[in-house]
């Protein structure tokens, strides 16, 4: 039992020496790690706000898909309804939303937007869906097909609510066709009331700028008596307006069995991007950009698989997180580790590497310091032993007094405990005490 007690005491003393020797270095490393963690802020907030669009719009549908995708990583995406693209841009500027869907050409970008906003890439094209009543077109133009904006003169046309950005876009297109606004009866109703008025005959035409996933678009494309305007000059539009892209709605893509549409329809489309405020946490931008690959990467009516997301058609700088997600494979650690762990390692690895590079040379001080602490428990007694020898040589103390001092010293040395690797020095000290003791009679004689 006594032997076990001594071994335990020796182990505890060795551990104490090791902690005292390496403790300052460990505290320094921990302090630097905490400082780096505070500075880098690698852990993103749990809640983020995404501005979407009107009810039953494609923006709302995509917002719900992003919410579901990020919920798997523990992020709560709050969907903020809006009137549309222009409203979303203003919500970003005002700080009411962290991210938003914004359509190219539907809002005037300010110079400061390049400093305050970033893009995660273009996600999909949104054609300009100009639906009109076939009976009205036949009555005015003797044909159920309209093929130019100039044929809208005199018609009752809804161009969408101001917040959607479509009125701004249509004003630019009408101006390019030399059509004054007073040549049409324009209304700015929201999608649902405008569609109701259109189907009831109170409107002759209405304009959407939306992805084909919109329920309104899907319904109107298959409504008897409703026609979709053909833009035979779509290439010319795209050359005049850089934010527009010529697209073709293929024959039968809506319904193959019913052959809807009955012919290819040329359209012009703007590109919608996912914009974010500059201060949004990088990890959130990364999650959104990666989720976009699965949400928008499939083939659609106007694109082939993996055409979107894309860095083309960007009106604002592309965030590096968006650039990496679009052009590079998913980070290795995110393939095998939960998001929170992988994100922490990815954002801290460079700092940790620097800390290791700094701490490794400093760690070389620990072994000599540990050795000094252990050996000092033995070597400090040599000073006392030398004092006894000096007193013995000078004859300043009697042999009995010197022997008593040696006895006290030897009793204290018996209590000294050192690791086994340093036991030879402890036994050497005891031998030296005995050597001095053997000299005492000669010194006394």
């Amino acid at each position: 039992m006594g032997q076990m007690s001594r071994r335990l005491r020796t182990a505890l003393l060795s551990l104490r020496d090791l902690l005292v020797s390496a403790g300052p270095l460990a505290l320094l490393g921990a302090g630097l790690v905490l400082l780096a963690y505070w500075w880098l802020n690698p852990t993103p907030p749990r809640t983020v706000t995404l501005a979407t669009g009107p009810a039953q719009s494609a923006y709302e549908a995509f917002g719900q898909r992003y919410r579901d995708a990020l919920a798997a990583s523990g992020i709560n995406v709050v969907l903020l309804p809006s009137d549309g693209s222009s409203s979303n841009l203003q919500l970003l500027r005002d700080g009411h939303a962290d991210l938003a869907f914004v359509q190219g050409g539907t809002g005037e970008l300010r110079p400061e937007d390049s400093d305050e906003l970033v893009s995660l890439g273009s996600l999909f094209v949104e054609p300009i869906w100009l639906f009109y009543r076939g009976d009205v077109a036949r009555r005015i133009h003797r044909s159920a097909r309209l093929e130019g904006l100039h044929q809208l003169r005199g018609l009752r046309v809804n161009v969408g609510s101001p917040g959607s950005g479509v009125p701004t876009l249509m004003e630019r297109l009408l101006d390019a066709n030399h059509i004054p606004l007073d040549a049409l009866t324009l209304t700015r109703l929201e999608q649902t009331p405008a569609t109701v008025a259109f189907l009831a005959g109170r409107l002759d035409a209405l304009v959407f700028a939306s992805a084909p996933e919109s329920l309104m678009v899907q319904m109107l494309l298959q409504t008897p008596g409703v026609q979709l305007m053909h833009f035979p000059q779509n290439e010319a539009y795209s050359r005049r307006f850089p934010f527009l892209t010529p697209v073709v709605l293929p024959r039968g893509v809506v319904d193959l069995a019913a052959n809807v549409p009955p012919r290819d329809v040329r359209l012009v489309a703007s590109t919608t991007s996912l914009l974010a405020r500059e201060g949004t946490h990088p990890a959130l931008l990364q999650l959104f950009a990666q989720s976009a690959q699965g949400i928008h990467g499939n083939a659609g009516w106007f694109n082939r698989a993996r055409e979107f997301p894309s860095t083309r058609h960007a009106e604002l700088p592309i965030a590096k997180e968006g650039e990496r997600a679009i052009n590079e494979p998913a980070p290795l650690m995110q393939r095998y580790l939960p998001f929170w762990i992988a994100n922490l390692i990815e954002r801290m690895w460079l700092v940790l590497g620097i800390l290791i590079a700094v701490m490794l040379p400093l760690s070389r001080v620990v072994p000599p310091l540990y050795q000094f602490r252990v050996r000092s428990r033995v070597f400090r007694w040599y000073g006392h032993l030398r004092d006894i020898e000096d007193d013995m040589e000078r004859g300043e103390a009697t042999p009995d007094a010197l022997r008593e001092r040696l006895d006290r010293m030897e009793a204290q040395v018996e209590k000294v405990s050192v690791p086994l690797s340093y036991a030879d020095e402890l036994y050497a000290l005891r031998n030296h005490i005995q050597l001095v003791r053997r000299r005492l009679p000669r010194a006394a004689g």
Side-chain angles (χ1 to χ4, degrees):
M1 196 72 176
Q3 188 177 3
M4 288 184 60
S5 177
R6 284 195 298 271
R7 288 180 178 176
L8 179 60
R9 182 170 177 270
T10 300
L12 291 176
L13 284 173
S14 299
L15 179 61
R16 185 192 67 181
D17 290 329
L18 182 61
L19 291 177
V20 172
S21 301
L25 187 64
L27 289 175
L28 175 63
L32 291 176
V33 169
L34 291 175
L35 181 63
Y37 186 91
W38 172 80
W39 180 54
L40 292 176
N41 187 23
T43 305
R46 295 279 183 169
T47 301
V48 61
T49 302
L50 172 64
T52 54
Q56 298 183 335
S57 67
Y59 286 179
E60 182 188 51
F62 283 129
Q64 292 170 354
R65 295 178 65 181
Y66 276 100
R67 181 179 60 191
D68 295 341
L70 268 72
S73 298
I75 302 297
N76 177 34
V77 179
V78 177
L79 303 182
L80 182 61
S82 70
D83 291 333
S85 179
S86 292
S87 292
N88 287 351
L89 184 59
Q90 193 59 46
L91 288 171
L92 283 176
R93 289 168 175 165
D94 296 340
H96 299 311
D98 302 305
L99 298 100
F101 300 115
V102 176
Q103 186 183 63
T106 57
E108 292 292 336
L109 292 177
R110 305 178 305 199
E112 56 267 30
D113 288 335
S114 296
D115 299 324
E116 299 173 358
L117 306 176
V118 293
S119 172
L120 295 180
S122 53
L123 306 180
F124 50 88
V125 293
E126 290 193 274
I128 297 175
W129 307 94
L130 201 162
F131 294 101
Y132 59 92
R133 298 178 59 86
D135 56 344
V136 174
R138 191 178 294 107
R139 185 176 67 250
I140 297 177
H141 299 288
R142 299 183 180 180
S143 171
R145 295 191 65 191
L146 301 183
E147 296 188 343
L149 294 180
H150 63 281
Q151 294 178 300
L152 296 177
R153 291 176 181 270
L155 299 185
R156 299 166 297 175
V157 181
N158 185 78
V159 292
S161 60
S164 68
V166 179
T168 302
L169 179 59
M170 281 301 296
E171 286 177 12
R172 298 173 74 172
L173 298 184
L174 291 172
D175 181 67
N177 283 272
H178 308 296
I179 302 174
L181 296 181
D182 56 8
L184 295 79
T185 303
L186 295 179
T187 58
R188 291 177 171 81
L189 302 175
E190 295 183 357
Q191 283 189 7
T192 300
T195 303
V196 172
F198 175 71
L199 295 176
R202 296 192 297 274
L203 289 174
D204 302 321
L206 74 167
V207 184
F208 295 152
S210 174
E213 286 81 359
S214 169
L215 296 178
M216 292 294 186
V217 171
Q218 297 270 352
M219 182 267 292
L220 289 171
L221 283 171
Q222 301 181 69
T223 299
V226 175
Q227 300 292 328
L228 176 63
M229 177 172 281
H230 178 65
F231 283 80
Q233 299 171 306
N234 62 348
E235 285 285 351
Y237 278 104
S238 68
R239 305 295 173 86
R240 291 285 300 273
F241 301 98
F243 53 84
L244 292 180
T245 302
V247 295
V248 176
L249 183 67
R251 173 183 176 181
V253 73
V254 178
D255 189 332
L256 287 170
N259 193 31
V260 179
R263 62 188 66 82
D264 288 352
V265 181
R266 293 182 177 275
L267 302 171
V268 290
S270 61
T271 304
T272 293
S273 299
L274 182 59
L275 302 188
R277 290 181 56 80
E278 180 65 39
T280 306
H281 197 283
L284 292 177
L285 298 183
Q286 184 183 54
L287 270 180
F288 271 93
Q290 290 173 348
S291 299
Q293 308 301 305
I295 294 174
H296 305 287
N298 297 326
W301 286 3
F302 302 103
N303 63 279
R304 300 185 184 277
R306 293 181 293 280
E307 280 188 26
F308 290 100
S310 170
T311 55
R312 295 172 299 175
H313 311 293
E315 296 181 280
L316 290 169
I318 300 290
K320 58 183 180 181
E321 290 79 10
E323 191 83 41
R324 282 199 298 265
I326 292 171
N327 299 320
E328 299 177 12
L332 180 64
M333 283 181 287
Q334 290 193 18
R335 302 177 204 171
Y336 305 103
L337 296 175
F339 164 72
W340 295 97
I341 299 176
N343 172 71
L344 180 63
I345 295 174
E346 286 173 7
R347 305 207 175 275
M348 292 289 290
W349 73 267
L350 181 59
V351 172
L352 293 176
I354 295 174
L355 287 178
I356 291 172
V358 172
M359 299 296 285
L360 277 178
L362 293 177
S363 65
R364 296 177 183 175
V365 178
V366 175
L369 184 60
Y370 173 76
Q371 185 182 49
F372 171 77
R373 285 191 55 82
V374 174
R375 297 181 71 183
S376 66
R377 292 209 295 268
V378 176
F379 290 163
R380 66 190 182 91
W381 292 106
Y382 278 101
H384 297 294
L385 191 59
R386 176 178 289 180
D387 291 340
I388 294 174
E389 282 189 294
D390 290 343
D391 290 346
M392 182 176 62
E393 292 293 339
R394 292 194 296 267
E396 296 180 356
T398 64
D400 290 338
L402 294 173
R403 190 174 292 111
E404 184 181 351
R405 288 168 64 184
L406 283 173
D407 290 340
R408 288 198 304 269
M409 178 179 174
E410 191 170 17
Q412 291 176 310
V413 169
E414 286 288 341
K415 299 176 182 178
V416 174
S417 180
V418 295
L420 291 177
S421 57
Y422 296 91
D424 56 337
E425 296 177 358
L426 180 59
Y427 285 109
L429 172 60
R430 292 175 178 176
N431 288 334
H432 291 151
I433 293 174
Q434 296 304 321
L435 287 175
V436 175
R437 187 186 296 278
R438 285 196 292 268
R439 292 176 57 195
L440 279 176
R442 292 196 299 271

